[in-house]
Every structure is written in C-alpha cells, then in structure tokens.
Amino acid sequence: MQGPQATTADPMSDLYQQLIVERARAPHRAGVLEPADGGAEGDNPFCGDRVQVTVRLGADGGVAESRHRTRGCAICTASADLMAESVEGLQRPAIASLYERFGAMLQSGESGTTDSLGLLAAFRSLHEYRSRIRCATLPWTALLDAMSEAAGPGSGRKDT
Amino acid sequence: MNEMSAVTLARPGLTGFEALRDDFPILSQTVHGKPLVFLDSAASAMKPAQVIDAMSDTMRTQYANVHRGLHWMSERTTDAYEGVRDKVARLLNAPSRDEIIFTQNSTGAINLLAHSFGATLARGQAVVISEMEHHSNIVPWQMLRDRAGIELRVARVTDAGELDLDHLAELLADGRAGLVAVTHMSNVLGTVTPAAGIARLAHAHGAKLMLDGSQAVVHRAVDVQALDADFYVFTGHKLYGPSGIGVLWGRTSLLETMPPFLGGGDMISTVSFEESRWAELPHRFEAGTPAIIEAIGLGAAIDYVQAIGFDALQAHEADLTAHALARLQAIEGLQVLGHAADRGGVISFTLENAHAHDIATLLDRNGIAVRAGNHCAEPLMRRLGVNSTARASFGLYTTKREIDLLAETLEQVRVFFA
Ligand SMILES: Cc1ncc(COP(=O)(O)O)c(C=O)c1O
C-alpha cells in the first residue's frame, strides 16, 4: 500500500540553481547602508533567520540602492540578494507589484507569470518545497517595511 | 545525488531489532521515490501495528464513554482505560496508580503543574529550570512568574552540554526555590541529566523536583522512586503511542495539596450552585471526557516497548548513537553540539557553509527526514551560539545502514555547498 507520492525532482538541479547557490555564497548586495532613508528587519522565529534591509531613495522616490544583511539559509540569502538587485530603480507601487508576482510564482510554480520576473524566476521550483517559501519571502516583507519607513512621517535620511 | 537511490535498505535475514521494522507499516513508504529513512523520532515516533490495531479495535468493537455508563460497553471501556493507568504506574514504578494523571501531552502536564502546584507556592518563592529546556518547560513557568510573583531562575548548561550542577546548587542556596523543573533528557543535545543527584540537591534545599521525561522515557527504564523525583511528565506520541495523550505522575502527598486545574465533569464528587466537591485522585485532575482511544493506544505502546525490554532498547540505541557520532564527526566541517558523557540517540549538528534548512531539504529529497530549526529550545540555541541546527534522532527501528545513508548524503551536501 502506498500513500500519496511526493515528486521526485532533484533539488540540486531544480531548487538550488547555480544562481541561487552563487548568490548565497557570495552576495552582491550584502551590507548596511549608512546613512539610509529606511531600514527594517524580518525575523522567522521558526528557524532563527533574520534579514535586515536598508534602502536609499532617489529623487523620484524610487530605490536608488538597497542592501541586506542576512543570517539565514541559502534560499533566504539568495532571495534577499536578488531582491535588492531587482528593485533598484523601482518605485514602491512597482515593487509591490513585483512582490505580488513573485509570491504568485512561489505558490503556483507557473512559468507563464515569470517573464517579467527576471532573475527572480530562479526561485520557480520553490513551490514544490512548501515549507521553504517563507525563506524566500522574508526579505521582501523587510523591504516593504523599510520602504514604509522611508516614506513615513518624519522620514528622511538616518544613520542606522 | 541520484546514485543514492541505489542504496537499498531492505536485506534478507533480518534479526533482532531489524525484524521489528515489520511492525511499523509506515516504514515501507517511499518519499520522493526513495525509501523513507525516518530520523526524526525525537519529534514524534512512528507507531507499530499493535498500537494502531488497539485503537481501531476499540472503535470497532468496544467503545463508549468512561466512568459514566451503567452499560456493558461503558464498563468494558472504563476497564481498558483504567487498565492503562496501571500500565503507566508500572512503567514509571509509581507507588500508586492513583498518582497517574492523564493529560493531553507533556505540555498539558507541565501547564497543569504550573497552575496547580504553582498555586501552592508563595509569592517570592522561586522555580528553577535550566538552559536546556523545551519551550513547554519554560513558558508555563514564565506565566506563573508573571501571574503569581514567583521568581524564575535558570541553571546554566556547560559547554559539554551538561547541566551545571554547581550553578544549580548556587540557585538553590537561599532556600527560596519551591521547585526544580528540568529535563531528564535534552531533545536537542541528547544529554541525560543526573536525575537522582538533582533530586538530592533539590531536596537538601527544600525544593521539589519535576522531571520532563518526554525524551528519557523512550530510551531508559524510569523508576521515579529510585530517582526520588516528586513529579514526572511524558508524552505518548514519542513513546510509539498516539498523539493526544500524556502523563503527569506526582506524589500523593503533593497532589492532594494542589487545587484542580480544569473544572468540569469527572473531576467532582458533588456539584451544587453553591459549591462543588472535588473528586479523589487522580480524577480531580482529569476534567471532561478523557482521550479514551489515545490512552488505550498508549497502553499498547507501553506493552510493546516493555516486551522488548528497556535493557535491549538502551543497548541498541547506544550502539546506533556511537556509530552515528563516529560517522558524522568524520565529515569535514560538521560540528556535533554537546558531548555529554551520558547521552541518548539525539544528535544535533551544524555543517560549515550549509544552513540547517538547506541540509534538511536536501536530505528530504533523498527520503531522509531530519528536523531543522531551533527545536523549540530558543534559549539553548542562544546559549550554544547557533541560530538553528539539524537534528537526527533515532527510534527502535533505526538501522546502521540508515545512519550510513545519512552520512553519505551529508557528505554530498557538504561538497555541494563547499
Ligand atoms: C524535552 C521535551 N519536552 C517537552 C516536549 C513537548 O511535548 P508535547 O509537544 O507532546 O507536549 C518535547 C517534545 O516536543 C520534548 O522533547
């Protein structure tokens, strides 16, 4: 008698794609901006992962620069890094829309929605690893909080 | 990673413990196309057919509410349910069956104790726990502290992962501690604590001792009288029984001074709107319809492990643990947490460059189930300076070949993230 079967995908080729492993090992956007216009932390109490995101805004209110300091797994670190790169030049509505499409892809694994996701499409197979989806979204919640702080009352450049 | 599927776990001519694997139907399942290698028994153990059958037979042939019906079905079901109390009393060598209180799990037992024994403590008294407690043996005492002005003291753990008995003695020195509540075996480090020594220390300073036996009871013969403990708790689902049933044992002399925890049916002798009188022990602490089917399943689990015998179980586990420590420590960059002299089959580790979650995901896709995270012991993680670990834990059905497969797959994980 066999129970319901999980898939047999090989995580070394589908989940841990070269881009993800490389960015986890040597992130391009690691660090903390000082001064910054906004900053926030995301915590996952289940695994102790923590992402700190800082942003600096351009004259148009879009992200001029974003950095992350991540203590987490490969998925979380690579997601923070590819996020920081992907949102440069984007204003808040565009970031929210990107995150929405990213989240939809993580839920469905649908490649149809990934065209506009660029590098973020590397996480497509995460939908097969449901317990790991939070690892990829944690940096985004921190980024959106950092953007809110940057836009909020009393906002302005701070030394973090 | 695909060559791993070539390793086969079944082998003809099974003897001893390997033959017992046939009792656990779930072990023949495959996960991601690979044979299931279940190394997460410390979180919850798999169930033998004997437990599954006892529960389903109850529902098929002999079931009714307990303690209330005057009819045949209720009487027989009450006998079966109360019979489990005798089995638990024998398991723990408790002096009286009336000292065995059924709860939902260890968490339920500790909350009961924090509420009801906590009510016998005076403001300004202290409860002493340790740095290596499961959250379920931390949070109920914090709630007591905040509610009743009880001080919460925390005994340190040494770098080896053992309870620091000198520090415990210091915390007891002023005589204000009413209770020491510590684990009998760590669910993270596998450390078995020197319970009899802790009891002597506690009693010498006027404190009672509660042992969290959630892990220990699975691996060792427990004799609460020889240990001279005052309270002992465990949870059925780690002992090859079902979830939803746990146990609090306490000395009669203490239980009798404690007010009830939950109120309702079964825990009273008479009820009027003016007042109610509490039932005798143990029913005073068992309000409402209990987990009848689960208790019967626990009884079958106790029969099962006692038929094997704890001497054999302990020897088997020591053999597996020694093998696993040797295999794991041979992996470059792998760090086993804690090296207590007395330890059981629970091994937490970190691997350089690989996060515990990534390890667990890669192992899972090879059919190997381990736990990753903080193991409901955040303060211990902080003490050890890690955020999360991977943990392999063994059951009576674990084989050395499974441990070899773990080690071989970890070696591949290490190379992958190197
Ligand atoms: C040492 C220890 N104490 C307490 C518990 C809590 O058990 P339960 O969740 O069944 O109440 C566990 C298991 O999770 C444990 O390992």
Side-chain angles (χ1 to χ4, degrees):
Chain A
M1 201 171 54
Q2 291 284 296
Q5 279 304 292
T7 60
T8 55
D10 178 1
M12 292 212 174
S13 54
D14 69 352
L15 177 58
Y16 294 97
Q17 298 192 7
Q18 202 179 0
L19 177 64
I20 292 179
V21 175
E22 274 174 14
R23 290 302 183 96
R25 200 177 281 148
H28 294 185
R29 297 288 190 281
V32 179
L33 292 172
E34 282 181 76
D37 293 312
E41 276 183 0
D43 275 301
N44 184 348
F46 293 108
C47 56
D49 284 2
R50 166 169 293 181
V51 183
Q52 181 189 3
V53 175
T54 43
V55 293
R56 205 175 274 162
L57 303 185
D60 62 351
V63 172
E65 263 186 301
S66 157
R67 291 284 182 280
H68 67 96
R69 187 157 67 185
T70 304
R71 180 186 78 189
C73 61
I75 302 300
C76 185
T77 307
S79 177
D81 205 57
L82 293 170
M83 170 192 81
E85 183 170 333
S86 303
V87 299
E88 274 166 20
L90 299 186
Q91 297 184 348
R92 193 188 160 95
I95 292 173
S97 148
L98 184 60
Y99 177 43
E100 202 171 299
R101 281 175 285 132
F102 182 58
M105 178 192 73
L106 295 181
Q107 290 301 326
S108 68
E110 301 253 323
S111 48
T113 61
T114 62
D115 287 355
S116 54
L117 285 166
L119 296 174
L120 301 178
F123 293 97
R124 189 171 19 215
S125 33
L126 202 61
H127 81 105
E128 298 242 21
Y129 302 78
R130 304 216 68 81
S131 55
R132 302 297 303 278
I133 288 176
R134 176 89 179 113
C135 307
T137 57
L138 184 67
W140 286 84
T141 53
L143 170 71
L144 292 173
D145 287 348
M147 293 295 289
S148 301
E149 197 199 60
S155 65
R157 200 152 285 186
K158 296 182 195 52
D159 294 302
T160 44
Chain B
M1 295 297 269
N2 285 333
E3 59 277 82
M4 298 314 307
S5 53
V7 176
T8 100
L9 293 169
R11 202 174 56 177
L14 304 182
T15 53
F17 275 91
E18 275 212 63
L20 296 177
R21 286 176 65 86
D22 291 343
D23 290 335
F24 293 80
I26 206 167
L27 296 179
S28 62
Q29 294 290 313
T30 56
V31 172
H32 305 301
K34 313 279 168 64
L36 171 64
V37 174
F38 189 72
L39 300 179
D40 195 19
S41 291
S44 200
M46 295 310 191
K47 323 303 173 197
Q50 288 83 341
V51 168
I52 299 167
D53 292 346
M55 296 175 75
S56 72
D57 287 351
T58 299
M59 288 182 279
R60 283 176 194 284
T61 65
Q62 185 208 278
Y63 178 77
N65 209 334
V66 292
H67 305 142
R68 355 192 134 171
L70 293 175
H71 50 78
W72 192 89
M73 277 290 176
S74 176
E75 287 169 355
R76 294 294 90 72
T77 310
T78 303
D79 288 349
Y81 174 76
E82 287 298 327
V84 179
R85 211 183 294 280
D86 295 301
K87 290 178 186 183
V88 174
R90 282 196 294 276
L91 178 75
L92 300 179
N93 193 32
S96 162
R97 68 183 307 279
D98 294 336
E99 298 179 336
I100 303 298
I101 295 157
F102 289 122
T103 62
Q104 191 186 346
N105 44 34
S106 291
T107 305
I110 298 170
N111 275 277
L112 189 167
L113 202 63
H115 182 277
S116 298
F117 182 74
T120 69
L121 296 175
R123 190 167 279 276
Q125 279 196 283
V127 170
V128 184
I129 59 173
S130 87
E131 279 181 326
M132 68 179 155
E133 301 310 317
H134 187 278
H135 291 167
S136 64
N137 195 31
I138 301 174
V139 181
W141 305 114
Q142 283 176 333
M143 291 165 69
L144 174 67
R145 176 195 66 194
D146 297 342
R147 174 171 77 230
I150 302 296
E151 189 188 336
L152 185 58
R153 299 178 178 175
V154 185
R156 283 195 289 263
V157 167
T158 66
D159 290 337
E162 293 173 325
L163 195 59
D164 183 338
L165 294 176
D166 294 335
H167 188 231
L168 178 62
E170 271 174 48
L171 295 179
L172 292 169
D174 66 4
R176 280 174 45 214
L179 181 74
V180 174
V182 292
T183 191
H184 193 188
M185 173 176 162
S186 165
N187 63 309
V188 177
L189 304 173
T191 306
V192 177
T193 55
I198 298 170
R200 274 194 299 278
L201 200 55
H203 294 154
H205 294 91
K208 305 299 179 198
L209 172 65
M210 183 214 90
L211 292 168
D212 174 1
S214 305
Q215 298 291 338
V217 81
V218 184
H219 306 282
R220 305 273 161 128
V222 170
D223 180 337
V224 293
Q225 297 186 64
L227 296 175
D228 202 21
D230 300 292
F231 299 102
Y232 200 93
V233 309
F234 73 91
T235 190
H237 66 96
K238 296 184 202 275
L239 187 61
Y240 311 102
S243 52
I245 183 83
V247 168
L248 167 67
W249 166 79
R251 288 181 196 270
T252 301
S253 56
L254 295 170
L255 294 175
E256 279 185 335
T257 64
M258 292 162 40
F261 179 35
L262 302 175
D266 260 2
M267 54 74 69
I268 30 66
S269 60
T270 63
V271 176
S272 72
F273 285 115
E274 288 68 43
E275 76 168 343
S276 299
R277 289 178 178 279
W278 313 138
E280 295 299 307
L281 293 176
H283 304 292
R284 184 185 304 172
F285 294 105
E286 291 180 2
T289 298
I292 301 165
I293 298 155
E294 290 78 2
I296 290 168
L298 174 62
I302 292 172
D303 289 345
Y304 186 81
V305 292
Q306 288 196 322
I308 298 168
F310 277 98
D311 288 347
L313 284 167
Q314 197 177 335
H316 176 60
E317 178 188 284
D319 191 35
L320 290 175
T321 306
H323 182 69
L325 286 171
R327 287 295 315 250
L328 295 182
Q329 281 167 336
I331 296 170
E332 200 186 314
L334 188 145
Q335 192 82 36
V336 171
L337 278 82
H339 47 93
D342 191 2
R343 67 172 304 155
V346 173
I347 301 177
S348 283
F349 58 91
T350 58
L351 187 55
E352 212 169 45
N353 300 327
H355 187 282
H357 277 193
D358 297 316
I359 295 171
T361 292
L362 289 169
L363 292 177
D364 174 58
R365 293 290 149 149
N366 284 279
I368 305 171
V370 299
R371 174 112 187 237
N374 63 28
H375 315 290
C376 300
E378 256 187 271
L380 178 60
M381 294 284 121
R382 228 166 280 131
R383 160 69 181 87
L384 300 170
V386 293
N387 299 313
S388 63
T389 74
R391 179 188 73 183
S393 57
F394 312 135
L396 63 90
Y397 35 68
T398 304
T399 67
K400 284 190 183 170
R401 273 194 313 291
E402 290 181 309
I403 290 167
D404 291 342
L405 188 59
L406 169 72
E408 288 159 23
T409 312
L410 281 171
E411 179 59 28
Q412 295 173 358
V413 172
R414 182 191 73 77
V415 170
F416 187 72
F417 284 109

